[in-house]
Amino acid sequence: MKNRFKKIKWISLYLLIPFVILGCDDKETEKLNQNNNLIVFVMEILPTMVNYCPQAEFIVEKGTEYQIALQKDKSSWFQFSPNGNITPPEENRDYLLTVTKDSSTSISLRPWTSCKTFSSPSGSTMTPQSATPTEVIFKIEKDSVQFSETNRFRIELNSATQTTVKIIQN
């Protein structure tokens, strides 16, 4: 699948080259065509060729508990390990991330939208599946866990004071 995608990217690039090289008698039309082709290249083709993901500072293994020190406006990206998370396509199961915290702490889970575009972190945070004052459980989509281009998350501290939380992927 990955090799097929690479071939499609390069074929798309080679299909654009004649449009850029072929000229018109009218210099203004030629310049306009070159600018339009450049815009198409930058907006549609270049992002598919780039893998722009934030570096994951750690990888969460299924069933292992991690302690994360959180500070306001400073959080680390992490990703889920595929170990123990690869299921047959016909199997339907939930992927859960449990965050244990102090009752006065407020947190959010923010996903990275896509590594194949020049996107930034998602503008919205994920809605918890369930929450108590000391535990928040997030449902993670199967594709987010199994494919590296959508497998980036970070826990953000919404409270004012620095704290440590524990996370575990069930």
Side-chain angles (χ1 to χ4, degrees):
M1 177 82 169
K2 211 174 211 183
N3 287 336
R4 193 172 117 202
F5 186 67
K6 281 183 179 181
K7 287 179 185 177
I8 292 171
K9 288 190 296 189
W10 287 111
I11 290 170
S12 299
L13 178 62
Y14 289 127
L15 288 174
L16 261 180
I17 292 173
F19 291 110
V20 174
I21 294 174
L22 291 175
C24 300
D25 291 336
D26 180 7
K27 291 294 182 189
E28 229 173 270
T29 305
E30 179 181 344
K31 185 146 182 92
L32 181 62
N33 285 341
Q34 287 176 347
N35 287 343
N36 287 341
N37 291 333
L38 182 60
I39 289 170
V40 168
F41 178 74
V42 169
M43 297 298 288
E44 294 181 20
I45 296 173
L46 187 60
T48 64
M49 299 169 71
V50 175
N51 187 357
Y52 181 73
C53 257
Q55 185 67 29
E57 293 193 24
F58 62 98
I59 297 174
V60 174
E61 296 282 339
K62 183 177 170 74
T64 303
E65 187 175 272
Y66 297 85
Q67 287 193 10
I68 304 173
L70 297 177
Q71 296 178 12
K72 186 76 172 158
D73 299 324
K74 187 176 182 184
S75 54
S76 302
W77 289 100
F78 64 90
Q79 66 185 121
F80 295 103
S81 170
N83 297 338
N85 285 317
I86 304 298
T87 59
E90 67 278 356
E91 185 179 320
N92 187 13
R93 66 177 261 217
D94 291 335
Y95 296 86
L96 302 175
L97 177 69
T98 303
V99 181
T100 306
K101 62 183 189 62
D102 183 82
S103 61
S104 63
T105 302
S106 172
I107 56 125
S108 310
L109 182 63
R110 186 169 309 273
W112 188 267
T113 315
S114 172
C115 295
K116 296 297 181 190
T117 64
F118 292 106
S119 65
S120 57
S122 173
S124 60
T125 57
M126 296 177 66
T127 303
Q129 181 175 5
S130 66
T132 67
T134 59
E135 187 176 84
V136 183
I137 299 175
F138 296 95
K139 182 179 176 185
I140 310 297
E141 296 298 320
K142 179 179 180 178
D143 289 347
S144 296
V145 173
Q146 293 182 347
F147 299 109
S148 62
E149 60 268 4
T150 55
N151 188 350
R152 296 290 189 284
F153 299 87
R154 71 178 179 200
I155 296 176
E156 297 177 344
L157 180 64
N158 301 328
S159 313
T161 54
Q162 180 175 321
T163 190
T164 300
V165 297
K166 293 178 187 176
I167 66 169
I168 188 168
Q169 188 215 340
N170 315 5

